Amino acid sequence: MSRHCMSACNHFMKPNLVKSLSSSSPRFSLPHLHQFSFHTSSKKDLTTVTSTHSNFIKSGLSNDTFTTNNLINSYLKLLRISHAQKLFDEMTHRNVVSWSLLMAGYVSQGQPNMALCLFHQMQMQTQGTLVMPNEFTFSTLINACSILASLEIGRRIHALVEVSGYRSDLVVCSSLIDMYGKCNCVDEARMVFDFMCVRNVVSWTSMITTYSQNAQGHLALELFREFNHFRLGKPNHFMLCSAVSACASLGRLGSGKIIHGVVIRLGHDANDVVASALVDMYAKCGCVSYSEKVFRRIPNPSVVHYTSMIVGAAKYGLGTLSLRLFQEMIDRRIKPNDITFVGVLHACSHSGLIDKGLELFNSMNEKHGMMPDPRHYTCTVDMLGRVGRIDEAYQLAKSVQVGSEDDALLWGTLLSASRLHGRVDIALEASNQVIKSNQQVAAAYVTLSNTYALAGDWENAHNLRSKMKRTGVFKEPGSSWIEIKESTYLFHAGDISKCSQKREMLNLLRELEGRMKERGHVGVTTGLVFVDIEEEAREEIVSLHSEKLALAFGLLNTPKGITIRIMKNLRMCRDCHEAFKLISDIVQREFIVRDVNRFHHFKNGLCTCGDFW
DNA sequence: TTAGGGTTAG
C-alpha cells in the first residue's frame, strides 16, 4: 500500500470515526463519508483520490450518491473524465448533481457534444424517477451550445429554461447572452440582457463582449461607459479586456489609452489576457511602438502575446520585425500555433519576403508538425500573387481542397492578384471558382469586371455589369471614415453631401485634383470607376476621386500619427497613392494609412513598407 | 457536491 493510501486509511480509521462507524447504522455513518469525500475533493493527487475511491468500495458504502458525486468531481478536477464516467455508469442513484457534474466535465475538456448527449440520456432515463435539470444543468448545456455555436439547440434549451422557471437566474442568463453572442445573434442576446431583473459584472461583460465580438464595438464601448457612469460595479479584467478589444476593432486610440489607464489603476496590467488585448489594440490603432512597449513588459509572453505582436507588426508593414519576433519565440521554445503562421506568412506577403515566406510555409509540416490549413494556403497564394507569380499561385490554389467559405477566400485572393497583374485568364477562372462557392459573389463580379476594364476589354466589363443588374447581384458601395480627435467623419463612395466641412473640403479637393492633373495621373482614374463604384458616369468618377481625397483631407487637421481606416471595398489605386503622396508633400510629415489588412506608413511621400509602389 | 464572462487570423 502506498504512503498516500496509508495516509488516507489512517485518516479514515481515526478513533472518533471508528467509534461512530461501529456504533451507528450505515445511515448514520454518511455524514462522515461526506466529510471524507469533501476532504479528498480538494486534493489534486490522483493517488489520493484513487485510494479514497478504493476505501469507499471496501467500506461497502459506495452506493451513496453524495459521496460518489464528490469522487466524480475529484476525478474531473484531475482531468480523468474516463474515471468519472465509469463511476457515473456504476451509480445506482444518479441525481441532478451527478448529471450536471459530468456534463460540465465534458464541456471543460472540450467535448461539448458529449454534454448534450448526456442531457439527452438524462431526459430518457428510465432508472427511478426522472431527474429534472436545474440552473447548473442549464448553464452547462448553454455553455456547450456556445462552444459549438449551435443556435438551434441553444434556442431549444432557452425554451426549456423559460418553462422550467430559471429565466431569472443570473448565471443562466449570462450564459444565454454569451451563447447568443457566439452564435452572432446580438439582438437575442440583448433581449435576454434587457429582461434580466438583476445584473452583475459578468452579465454586463457578456453583453459588452457580444457587441465587441460581433463588429459592434461602438455599442460595446457605449455599454462599458454606461456601466461605469452609473457606478454599477468595478470593471474587472474580463470586462476591461472586452473594452480594449472593442477599441482595437474601431481603431480608437484615444479610448484605448483611457481604458489602458483604468487597467493600470485597477491593477489588471499584469493579467496576461489583458496585456495581449492591449498589444493588439495599440497595433490596430497604428501604434506598434506602444504595442512593443506593452509586449516587452510581459514577463513570460505566451504564444498569443507573440502572435498579437507578430500580426501587429505585419499589418504595419514591418515584416522583418515580425520575422525577428517569430525567431525569438522559437528560440524561447514557445510553440507557434496556426494563427502565428497566418501572421508570419502575412508579414512575408506584405513585405515582399517571398523566399522566406515559402520557407516558412514548407517548414510548418517539416519542422513544426503542423499541417497548413486553407488560411495558410491563402496567405501563400497572396504572397505569390502580389509579386506577379500568378501561375505558381494558381497551381497552389488548384492543389488545395477546401470548403466553400475558404474557397471564396482562396480564389478571391487569386482573383485580386490576377486583376493587379492584368491576368484576365486566371481572373476568369478564379472568379468562376468564387461564384461556384456562393460566397462573395458580388465582389467577384466587380473584380472580374475591373480586370476586363483594366485590360481595355470594355465590352466584357459592361456585359458583366449588365448581368449583375439583371440578376440582382448588388455590391455594397464602400465607405471610409476618419477619426479626428473625438469626431468620426464617414464618407460614402461618391457622396460627401453630408460632410459638415463640405465647402472647405471641395475647395481643397479642387486644388489637389488640379495638382494631380499637372502630374498627369487623372487618366488612370477610369480603372478606379470599376473598382469602387457601381455607376460609370463621369460625374461620379470625379466625386469618387474627391471622396478619396476627402479622406486625405483629414490629415491636414490631424496630429502626427493619425490613422485613416479604409474599408474592405475601397481599394487603393495609384491615383489615391499619389493623392496621399501630394498631401504628404504639403503637410511635410509622416502619416499612416490603414486599410482593411494592414498599415501603410508614409514618410516624405513614400510608403515605407513598399506596398503601394 | 455541480454552472456564467476576456486576448492573437487572410
Side-chain angles (χ1 to χ4, degrees):
Chain A
M1 191 178 281
S2 72
R3 192 145 40 116
H4 285 110
C5 189
M6 283 292 289
S7 154
C9 285
N10 288 343
H11 177 79
F12 186 67
M13 298 304 284
K14 270 182 181 173
N16 58 337
L17 280 175
V18 174
K19 191 177 168 188
S20 35
L21 276 170
S22 59
S23 61
S24 313
S25 67
R27 186 186 172 83
F28 289 109
S29 70
L30 283 176
H32 302 292
L33 288 171
H34 294 172
Q35 187 186 0
F36 190 77
S37 49
F38 175 75
H39 187 72
T40 56
S41 68
S42 64
K43 299 267 184 191
K44 288 188 178 171
D45 182 84
L46 181 63
T47 318
T48 311
V49 178
T50 44
S51 65
T52 308
H53 187 179
S54 82
N55 283 331
F56 278 128
I57 294 168
K58 283 177 199 163
S59 73
L61 299 165
S62 56
N63 281 343
D64 177 60
T65 304
F66 186 99
T67 311
T68 314
N69 285 346
N70 272 313
L71 263 176
I72 289 174
N73 198 20
S74 299
Y75 279 124
L76 290 174
K77 281 179 180 166
L78 292 164
L79 310 179
R80 303 287 168 155
I81 194 103
S82 54
H83 291 66
Q85 177 75 62
K86 190 166 181 295
L87 257 173
F88 177 85
D89 290 340
E90 289 164 359
M91 285 177 88
T92 46
H93 301 290
R94 299 170 194 136
N95 64 10
V96 65
V97 179
S98 328
W99 287 95
S100 304
L101 263 171
L102 197 60
M103 286 177 199
Y106 276 113
V107 171
S108 67
Q109 290 189 39
Q111 297 182 66
N113 266 322
M114 282 299 293
L116 298 177
C117 287
L118 271 173
F119 182 56
H120 184 68
Q121 285 173 37
M122 180 178 154
Q123 288 177 305
M124 307 293 284
Q125 194 189 210
T126 50
Q127 173 210 69
T129 52
L130 191 67
V131 177
M132 297 303 289
N134 66 9
E135 64 271 41
F136 291 86
T137 329
F138 282 128
S139 51
T140 304
L141 290 168
I142 296 162
N143 193 10
C145 295
S146 178
I147 294 163
L148 295 164
S150 175
L151 182 61
E152 196 190 331
I153 303 174
R155 279 189 180 137
R156 273 192 243 157
I157 293 169
H158 186 182
L160 281 174
V161 166
E162 294 283 334
V163 297
S164 308
Y166 291 106
R167 65 177 303 184
S168 55
D169 185 87
L170 197 55
V171 181
V172 171
C173 286
S174 299
S175 307
L176 280 169
I177 294 169
D178 175 64
M179 184 274 292
Y180 281 124
K182 297 286 191 308
C183 295
N184 311 116
C185 297
V186 179
D187 292 343
E188 281 171 87
R190 183 68 201 220
M191 272 173 69
V192 175
F193 181 77
D194 286 340
F195 276 113
M196 288 176 81
C197 311
V198 183
R199 302 184 191 109
N200 65 2
V201 67
V202 181
S203 34
W204 279 84
T205 302
S206 299
M207 197 60 232
I208 290 169
T209 307
T210 292
Y211 281 134
S212 177
Q213 291 176 343
N214 283 279
Q216 298 189 30
H218 57 292
L219 291 175
L221 290 183
E222 204 173 277
L223 211 60
F224 178 70
R225 265 194 292 271
E226 194 180 327
F227 180 83
N228 291 295
H229 179 76
F230 293 108
R231 297 178 189 280
L232 300 171
K234 203 183 267 187
N236 60 17
H237 54 288
F238 288 98
M239 187 181 272
L240 289 165
C241 213
S242 286
V244 170
S245 181
C247 295
S249 67
L250 295 168
R252 287 252 184 106
L253 180 62
S255 306
K257 279 183 175 173
I258 292 168
I259 297 170
H260 189 181
V262 177
V263 165
I264 294 168
R265 268 202 308 283
L266 296 178
H268 295 302
D269 46 331
N271 179 279
D272 271 357
V273 185
V274 173
S276 191
L278 285 167
V279 168
D280 177 57
M281 183 273 291
Y282 281 121
K284 283 187 175 150
C285 291
C287 292
V288 174
S289 56
Y290 278 49
S291 283
E292 221 175 342
K293 275 184 188 166
V294 175
F295 175 74
R296 291 297 173 199
R297 282 183 192 151
I298 301 167
N300 293 303
S302 68
V303 59
V304 177
H305 296 125
Y306 266 103
T307 305
S308 301
M309 200 58 238
I310 286 168
V311 171
K315 283 184 173 172
Y316 206 82
L318 302 172
T320 45
L321 174 59
S322 293
L323 292 177
R324 210 166 51 240
L325 287 159
F326 181 77
Q327 190 54 50
E328 189 182 302
M329 69 183 283
I330 300 295
D331 293 343
R332 295 177 74 168
R333 295 181 188 283
I334 298 165
K335 194 175 159 40
N337 65 19
D338 51 340
I339 305 172
T340 319
F341 275 103
V342 170
V344 85
L345 290 171
H346 182 62
C348 292
S349 176
H350 288 279
S351 296
L353 305 163
I354 310 302
D355 293 339
K356 184 67 191 170
L358 291 174
E359 182 194 318
L360 281 164
F361 179 71
N362 291 324
S363 78
M364 283 184 72
N365 190 19
E366 289 166 10
K367 275 193 195 165
H368 303 278
M370 198 182 293
M371 287 304 287
D373 68 26
R375 297 164 302 172
H376 305 114
Y377 278 97
T378 303
C379 284
T380 312
V381 164
D382 185 48
M383 199 189 303
L384 292 164
R386 274 176 192 278
V387 293
R389 290 163 69 169
I390 304 289
D391 292 306
E392 286 170 76
Y394 176 56
Q395 292 304 325
L396 187 65
K398 269 208 308 188
S399 71
V400 197
Q401 293 287 320
V402 292
S404 65
E405 202 172 320
D406 293 326
D407 249 347
L409 290 169
L410 181 73
W411 290 100
T413 300
L414 184 63
L415 176 57
S416 298
S418 307
R419 181 184 60 93
L420 192 69
H421 294 281
R423 286 290 298 271
V424 179
D425 54 335
I426 306 287
L428 189 61
E429 167 69 14
S431 61
N432 282 336
Q433 294 286 351
V434 177
I435 293 161
K436 210 158 73 179
S437 74
N438 211 20
Q439 309 262 331
Q440 312 278 331
V441 172
Y445 274 121
V446 170
T447 312
L448 182 61
S449 167
N450 295 335
T451 315
Y452 282 131
L454 285 168
D457 185 349
W458 296 103
E459 194 182 339
N460 267 324
H462 180 75
N463 286 345
L464 209 55
R465 288 284 170 172
S466 304
K467 189 181 173 186
M468 282 180 75
K469 279 182 187 163
R470 231 180 20 252
T471 53
V473 175
F474 173 73
K475 178 178 170 283
E476 275 208 17
S479 65
S480 315
W481 69 93
I482 180 167
E483 285 179 30
I484 305 171
K485 293 177 183 167
E486 293 299 307
S487 306
T488 302
Y489 300 86
L490 178 71
F491 303 96
H492 288 285
D495 178 20
I496 56 164
S497 59
K498 289 177 193 131
C499 183
S500 58
Q501 293 164 293
K502 185 181 167 188
R503 187 184 296 271
E504 198 183 351
M505 189 178 290
L506 284 172
N507 284 337
L508 180 77
L509 294 174
R510 279 193 200 105
E511 186 194 325
L512 288 169
E513 282 190 303
R515 289 183 64 176
M516 287 183 75
K517 276 180 190 166
E518 282 168 25
R519 293 195 177 195
H521 292 292
V522 176
V524 194
T525 316
T526 44
L528 186 62
V529 179
F530 285 97
V531 176
D532 294 318
I533 58 173
E534 302 301 314
E535 299 301 325
E536 291 102 309
R538 170 71 192 160
E539 290 76 19
E540 299 215 29
I541 298 173
V542 176
S543 61
L544 174 71
H545 205 147
S546 301
E547 188 268 342
K548 287 283 190 184
L549 295 171
L551 242 173
F553 171 74
L555 285 165
L556 298 176
N557 289 330
T558 55
K560 188 178 172 183
I562 187 71
T563 297
I564 298 179
R565 291 192 63 155
I566 299 168
M567 282 186 71
K568 202 190 279 183
N569 296 332
L570 283 179
R571 292 191 185 279
M572 285 288 181
C573 73
R574 283 198 178 275
D575 282 355
C576 306
H577 307 162
E578 284 300 325
F580 284 121
K581 193 177 169 187
L582 267 169
I583 289 162
S584 184
D585 287 347
I586 295 165
V587 297
Q588 288 294 306
R589 61 181 174 211
E590 295 175 36
F591 60 92
I592 297 154
V593 175
R594 177 185 178 177
D595 71 14
V596 72
N597 292 326
R598 57 198 175 274
F599 289 100
H600 303 280
H601 187 190
F602 283 82
K603 197 170 180 181
N604 298 326
L606 290 170
C607 179
T608 56
C609 60
D611 226 27
F612 276 8
W613 312 105

